[in-house]
Amino acid sequence: MARRISSSMEVLLGLLTIEPMSGYDLGQMIKESIHHFWNESYGQIYPNLKRLASGGFVTRKTEKQKGKPDRNIYSITNKGRERLQRWLQIEPQPEVPRNELMLKLFFGSNASPQTIHSYVEQMVARERAVLERFAFIECEIARNRDYPSAPYWQMALRFGQIELEAHLRWAEETLAALRKLDKERDRVSSSRKDKGHAGK
Amino acid sequence: MARRISSSMEVLLGLLTIEPMSGYDLGQMIKESIHHFWNESYGQIYPNLKRLASGGFVTRKTEKQKGKPDRNIYSITNKGRERLQRWLQIEPQPEVPRNELMLKLFFGSNASPQTIHSYVEQMVARERAVLERFAFIECEIARNRDYPSAPYWQMALRFGQIELEAHLRWAEETLAALRKLDKERDRVSSSRKDKGHAGK
DNA sequence: AAATGCATGTAACGCGTTACATGATTTT
DNA sequence: AAAATCATGTAACGCGTTACATGCATTT
């Protein structure tokens, strides 16, 4: 059967309901606004826009520019809106998780507690930065509060905020546990040394 | 260059440090213990075990069974342990998120609030069930608390618990917001009707 | 009688990233 | 002088799931 399952065309349709855009713009917008729960590379965007155009889901107009390459501006059609709405009626499938940090943590006894500790700290640094970005995005949404989509954007953002805050709480707890584990390892190895001395 | 990036061989090595197992056992164990942060299908497991064996990272012994197909039991070698440890020294890369629920929520204004509401409710039901499973896994880990890996298993489990609890808090807040949005839509459309009447 | 579990494995397919190609402008 | 930004696109490659094939035993 080989039925198409991916949502990579529908993201483009969804973003094009906000305003007509070029492939490049779509890439930028994905990076700026939905990157914390969805990603799409140019290697997907350009071919998919082509497919959408040949299916009549979007139309394309070429804008000439001086000194820069032409911009191909895509607009969603009624047929495209219908496709987007049909897609929205399909139950979203839970994502298959692939969290490398968790995997390395799970096998942590094969490395040093310090190694794992540093990985968790790196996650903390990264996610703290994302949380700051979220604060900025929240302002952006507030500035556009008259868009009918604004409440939905806010809900998706809240998801990210609540999740990352939870991660940070977990990280605190976990960093403490890792330090404790490290000390215990010291204790065990030095008590082994003591025994050796006492036995002599 | 085309360098190998995936961790699907290393998961197998990691699990084989716990005890020698067949490909089928590995699949079962993944489903039972690390499925909430990692997944691996048999279409990956069997070919990867073959590759690991031909590279000398694991050895294979065939156990004959009556009435059932033979079991191929794989054991990790010293070379395999070294590979696992080298892999653990590589910084884990953050996963590229692809959350369909968030995507459909983000484009929610193109559907009815009830549709999105039902998706969030389905997520709540699913994740509540997972949390119950986590409680069971926690007992399992406690039963095996003498394994040197037990503390690490516990930390990875905690991550899942804290994250899902955060999701449920978000869901409560979001379900309320969606109901409010739905009522407002009613209000707007009925006030439009009033105006129409008044204008006649 | 049909479905599920045990157990192994392969082939086809879709998906998505990365690298590459091109080329002018602007910033460092 | 080098790197980044704008802007489009293609090709190759690796990855991972799904479906399929096989076949006996047990459960429904």
Side-chain angles (χ1 to χ4, degrees):
Chain A
M1 294 292 109
R3 189 176 275 119
R4 189 156 235 280
I5 262 182
S6 155
S7 303
S8 24
M9 293 207 197
E10 283 76 15
V11 206
L12 304 178
L13 290 178
L15 291 174
L16 288 175
T17 61
I18 303 172
E19 68 182 325
M21 271 180 278
S22 69
Y24 187 78
D25 294 337
L26 284 162
Q28 295 299 104
M29 184 160 257
I30 287 165
K31 233 198 287 172
E32 284 162 22
S33 63
I34 63 175
H35 187 248
H36 68 285
F37 58 81
W38 199 269
N39 194 41
E40 216 63 62
S41 62
Y42 288 114
Q44 286 276 95
I45 294 173
Y46 287 116
N48 278 332
L49 280 173
K50 219 177 194 178
R51 276 169 218 148
L52 285 170
S54 74
F57 303 106
V58 298
T59 57
R60 164 181 167 161
K61 265 180 204 157
T62 302
E63 265 182 16
K64 306 244 167 199
Q65 294 189 129
K66 33 190 173 183
K68 284 179 191 171
D70 292 356
R71 278 166 59 83
N72 297 323
I73 308 292
Y74 293 88
S75 307
I76 189 167
T77 62
N78 283 335
K79 198 178 165 192
R81 274 174 215 282
E82 275 163 36
R83 178 166 172 170
L84 177 66
Q85 280 155 25
R86 269 203 311 281
W87 169 77
L88 280 165
Q89 296 309 313
I90 302 167
E91 253 186 62
Q93 292 303 301
E95 65 184 322
V96 193
R98 284 207 142 206
N99 188 329
E100 262 194 30
L101 173 62
M102 281 310 117
L103 197 60
K104 294 198 174 178
L105 176 67
F106 189 83
F107 296 128
S109 69
N110 298 285
S112 71
Q114 292 101 316
T115 301
I116 308 297
H117 191 276
S118 77
Y119 294 158
V120 176
E121 273 183 330
Q122 277 160 39
M123 171 196 126
V124 167
R126 192 176 53 242
E127 301 209 341
R128 263 204 236 284
V130 176
L131 270 173
E132 272 178 47
R133 223 192 111 51
F134 283 178
F136 169 77
I137 294 177
E138 194 158 22
C139 296
E140 290 284 290
I141 295 174
R143 285 203 307 115
N144 294 297
R145 81 174 70 81
D146 292 336
Y147 277 80
S149 284
Y152 293 98
W153 298 343
Q154 179 63 33
M155 292 176 212
L157 177 69
R158 276 296 286 160
F159 182 85
Q161 289 173 328
I162 289 179
E163 193 177 69
L164 291 202
E165 282 160 11
H167 287 179
L168 293 181
R169 280 197 308 278
W170 169 83
E172 247 180 84
E173 177 186 312
T174 301
L175 288 171
L178 285 167
R179 280 188 290 265
K180 212 177 137 191
L181 220 60
D182 201 24
K183 273 182 206 159
E184 272 170 40
R185 216 176 55 151
D186 272 4
R187 212 168 41 78
V188 169
S189 64
S190 65
S191 78
R192 246 206 306 273
K193 227 200 301 190
D194 289 353
K195 270 195 187 168
H197 272 277
K200 257 199 185 162
Chain B
M1 294 295 108
R3 189 175 277 117
R4 189 157 238 278
I5 262 182
S6 156
S7 303
S8 23
M9 293 207 200
E10 282 76 16
V11 206
L12 304 178
L13 289 178
L15 291 174
L16 289 176
T17 62
I18 304 172
E19 68 183 322
M21 270 180 278
S22 69
Y24 186 80
D25 293 337
L26 284 162
Q28 295 298 104
M29 184 160 258
I30 288 166
K31 233 198 286 172
E32 284 163 21
S33 62
I34 62 176
H35 187 248
H36 68 286
F37 58 82
W38 199 269
N39 193 41
E40 217 63 61
S41 60
Y42 287 114
Q44 287 276 95
I45 294 172
Y46 286 116
N48 279 332
L49 279 173
K50 218 178 196 175
R51 277 167 217 149
L52 285 170
S54 73
F57 304 106
V58 300
T59 55
R60 165 180 165 163
K61 265 180 204 159
T62 303
E63 266 182 17
K64 308 247 167 200
Q65 295 189 126
K66 33 190 172 180
K68 283 179 192 173
D70 292 356
R71 278 166 60 83
N72 298 323
I73 307 293
Y74 293 89
S75 308
I76 190 167
T77 62
N78 284 335
K79 199 178 166 193
R81 275 174 215 280
E82 275 162 37
R83 175 167 175 170
L84 178 67
Q85 280 155 23
R86 268 201 313 280
W87 170 78
L88 280 166
Q89 296 309 312
I90 302 166
E91 253 186 62
Q93 292 304 299
E95 65 184 323
V96 194
R98 284 205 141 208
N99 187 329
E100 262 194 31
L101 174 61
M102 282 309 118
L103 198 60
K104 296 200 173 177
L105 176 66
F106 188 84
F107 296 127
S109 69
N110 298 284
S112 71
Q114 292 101 317
T115 301
I116 308 297
H117 192 276
S118 77
Y119 295 158
V120 176
E121 273 182 330
Q122 277 160 38
M123 171 197 125
V124 168
R126 191 177 52 242
E127 301 208 340
R128 262 204 235 286
V130 176
L131 270 173
E132 273 177 47
R133 225 191 110 51
F134 283 176
F136 169 77
I137 294 177
E138 195 159 21
C139 296
E140 291 284 289
I141 295 174
R143 283 204 308 116
N144 294 298
R145 80 175 71 83
D146 292 335
Y147 277 80
S149 285
Y152 293 98
W153 299 343
Q154 180 62 32
M155 293 176 212
L157 177 68
R158 275 298 284 159
F159 182 86
Q161 288 174 329
I162 289 179
E163 192 176 71
L164 291 202
E165 281 160 13
H167 286 179
L168 293 181
R169 280 197 309 277
W170 169 82
E172 247 181 83
E173 177 188 312
T174 301
L175 288 171
L178 285 167
R179 280 188 290 264
K180 212 177 138 192
L181 220 61
D182 202 23
K183 272 181 205 161
E184 272 169 40
R185 214 177 55 152
D186 271 7
R187 213 167 41 77
V188 170
S189 66
S190 65
S191 78
R192 245 206 307 276
K193 225 200 299 187
D194 289 351
K195 270 194 187 168
H197 273 278
K200 259 199 184 160

